[in-house]
Amino acid sequence: MDIIISAVANRTGSTLVQRIFNARRKTLIWGEHGGIVSEFVRIGELAGYFSIQGREEKEAYFKSGENPNTWIANMSPDLIRVREGIVQGVRACFSAMYAEYRDNHDRIGFKEVRYGKPEIELLKTCYPDAVIVLLVRHPVDVWKSETSYWSGDAGLFARTWNERALQYAELRDPGRGIHLLRYEELVERDETALGLLEELADVSRGEIDNVLHVNLNSTRTERPAIDIEQILAMCQEGMERLRYMD
């Protein structure tokens, strides 16, 4: 993976950024894959648990000369082996998944709307040279754009948005190739944001403008005031960190 676009939630402009990257003819950024990296994180946690719990059994078994009459029910490899297995698993999965059309492109990536810090850190471990773009948008505007994904549960959405917003603010590290963009800066044609995208996507300002001028699948609906109040209250810390509040 050369480029990873990760949005704080759905309806955050990740497809818009994906389209900007794909404006370069030899770049291919695929769409969402259902958050499968979260499953690798879960597998790593589960296997890591048994690695720790089974450490004494493993040590006793090999000290015994591999005596089969030693209790070994939870014996598991070292944690470092577990972590390497997860990294190899992610790489193998995406290498096979995204082999299609690879020969015609020199930059490959994907965008996703389901990842927080554990997934981003795992992806950065797997692909240390990858460019990662973290995309955020004001939570009220996200809610007005889409609620079906959250089954109309404003509280669940607010908790998720706030948690990921804080994680994204912490993850931002241009020195590691992890960049943070606000959706509002893109649609308002902020010079700094567009300049960063020009550099990261290796496209011209004209190519960016050509994408920004085409509005695809835009939605916006007024929501109950009680939803908005709840979101503003629960997302206050994340909004402050991401400069959505003065």
Side-chain angles (χ1 to χ4, degrees):
M1 294 295 101
D2 302 296
I3 300 157
I4 296 165
I5 301 166
S6 182
V8 71
N10 60 327
R11 308 306 300 174
T12 306
S14 60
T15 304
L16 175 64
V17 177
Q18 175 192 15
R19 290 166 54 212
I20 289 173
F21 272 87
N22 279 359
R24 178 179 177 272
R25 292 189 61 86
K26 297 203 73 176
T27 297
L28 177 58
I29 307 299
W30 293 89
E32 297 158 27
H33 46 235
I36 59 175
V37 174
S38 299
E39 296 304 312
F40 283 98
V41 170
R42 186 186 67 81
I43 292 168
E45 292 172 348
L46 182 59
Y49 170 83
F50 278 92
S51 178
I52 293 170
Q53 293 298 311
R55 182 176 298 150
E56 292 184 3
E57 294 179 18
K58 183 191 71 173
E59 292 174 353
Y61 178 66
F62 288 103
K63 283 181 180 179
S64 76
E66 301 184 45
N67 182 348
N69 291 323
T70 305
W71 182 257
I72 53 174
N74 293 312
M75 182 176 68
S76 295
D78 283 343
L79 198 56
I80 190 172
R81 301 297 180 188
V82 170
R83 290 170 177 165
E84 180 58 28
I86 297 302
V87 168
Q88 289 188 25
V90 172
R91 288 174 178 165
C93 178
F94 284 145
S95 178
M97 280 180 59
Y98 298 130
E100 191 175 5
Y101 299 111
R102 181 179 288 140
D103 291 345
N104 299 324
H105 300 85
D106 58 13
R107 300 183 83 189
I108 300 289
F110 63 82
K111 67 103 167 180
E112 187 53 84
V113 299
R114 297 167 175 85
Y115 294 154
K117 183 177 180 179
E119 292 86 358
I120 298 301
E121 289 288 11
L122 174 55
L123 286 167
K124 196 60 179 174
T125 299
C126 294
Y127 308 105
D129 296 328
V131 170
I132 297 181
V133 178
L134 305 176
L135 189 62
V136 299
R137 185 184 184 187
H138 195 291
V140 171
D141 291 329
V142 174
W143 188 248
K144 288 182 177 180
S145 182
E146 176 67 78
T147 62
S148 61
Y149 182 90
W150 304 97
S151 301
D153 190 335
L156 174 60
F157 162 74
R159 285 190 296 274
T160 303
W161 187 95
N162 192 63
E163 178 182 3
R164 289 183 185 164
L166 293 172
Q167 292 175 352
Y168 279 24
E170 179 184 347
L171 282 164
R172 179 186 177 274
D173 187 351
R176 295 177 64 204
I178 304 177
H179 306 271
L180 181 67
L181 284 175
R182 299 197 305 172
Y183 171 78
E184 292 80 6
E185 294 170 340
L186 301 182
V187 297
E188 293 168 6
R189 309 301 203 272
D190 177 82
E191 283 297 317
T192 300
L194 295 185
L196 177 61
L197 264 183
E198 278 186 90
E199 177 185 349
L200 298 180
D202 191 18
V203 295
S204 68
R205 184 63 58 90
E207 289 171 317
I208 293 177
D209 288 339
N210 185 53
V211 173
L212 291 176
H213 287 153
V214 178
N215 192 351
L216 298 177
N217 196 28
S218 178
T219 58
R220 187 175 179 86
T221 305
E222 288 304 313
R223 304 298 180 188
I226 191 171
D227 284 3
I228 306 305
E229 293 171 2
Q230 185 178 19
I231 290 169
L232 290 174
M234 295 179 65
C235 294
Q236 181 175 350
E237 187 177 3
M239 291 172 64
E240 289 176 349
R241 288 288 302 275
L242 296 177
R243 297 181 290 112
Y244 283 119
M245 298 181 68
D246 297 329

